[in-house]
Amino acid sequence: MSFDTPNGTRGARQPGAGPLMRWMNRFVMNRIRRKGAKTMGMNALVLTTVGRKTGQPRSTPVSYFADGDNSWLIVASAAGAPKNPAWYYNIAAHPDRVQIEMGNRRVDVTAAQLHGAERTRAWQQITETAPRFAKYGRQTDRELPVIRLTGL
């Protein structure tokens, strides 16, 4: 399945990438790696991708939703911003070079963007579990990409 969601033209302000946000992301990722923590009341994992331009590993904390025994759903919401987050493009460039961490568990995964009825079912599950994602979807005119991560 293709990673083909274009950026939108309107939406919420994308979370900044300044020193405070970098510190906060490091803090949250260390907590997730130690305890498998929740972030803002939702399950969270550390997503590590390969930079599409640099080829370097890039890690970020992301909320996830269980999708079976060895599968997880994530949303490229960027909090309802008009642009997809950078990690979305990294996954699109290297969907077979993705790793996730939850507590002391590290899993190599492959990524696939969901489309059509499969996305609709997953989106319904996500918004019922975490209504803030429905809000993010209303804030922007892009369709928020839903991505399935499947353990190798």
Side-chain angles (χ1 to χ4, degrees):
M1 298 199 170
S2 61
F3 290 83
D4 56 2
T5 302
N7 286 325
T9 59
R10 67 171 177 76
R13 187 165 174 232
Q14 191 155 11
L20 180 61
M21 184 57 81
R22 285 192 300 271
W23 178 86
M24 179 74 102
N25 280 347
R26 280 193 306 272
F27 175 81
V28 170
M29 287 188 296
N30 286 336
R31 197 166 154 211
I32 292 167
R33 286 174 173 137
R34 280 193 324 270
K35 305 182 199 183
K38 289 188 175 219
T39 300
M40 298 185 339
M42 295 185 294
N43 292 326
L45 56 79
V46 175
L47 177 73
T48 301
T49 60
V50 174
R52 69 184 169 125
K53 294 179 184 177
T54 65
Q56 298 298 307
R58 303 287 183 214
S59 296
T60 189
V62 179
S63 296
Y64 77 88
F65 304 87
D67 186 46
D69 288 340
N70 200 33
S71 184
W72 304 267
L73 299 172
I74 59 174
V75 181
S77 68
K83 293 184 177 181
N84 294 310
W87 62 257
Y88 172 80
Y89 298 105
N90 293 344
I91 285 180
H94 306 287
D96 56 340
R97 296 179 63 193
V98 180
Q99 187 177 81
I100 60 172
E101 295 173 74
M102 297 169 285
N104 60 2
R105 184 176 178 202
R106 187 175 289 185
V107 182
D108 290 326
V109 296
T110 187
Q113 183 171 336
L114 304 184
H115 296 282
E118 194 173 26
R119 184 204 178 273
T120 301
R121 281 190 300 276
W123 183 247
Q124 183 176 355
Q125 173 197 344
I126 289 164
T127 56
E128 286 173 1
T129 304
R132 80 174 45 141
F133 280 91
K135 177 185 172 194
Y136 297 157
R138 290 189 301 272
Q139 289 177 311
T140 184
D141 58 349
R142 70 182 168 94
E143 182 177 82
L144 301 182
V146 177
I147 297 160
R148 177 176 289 128
L149 305 172
T150 304
L152 299 176

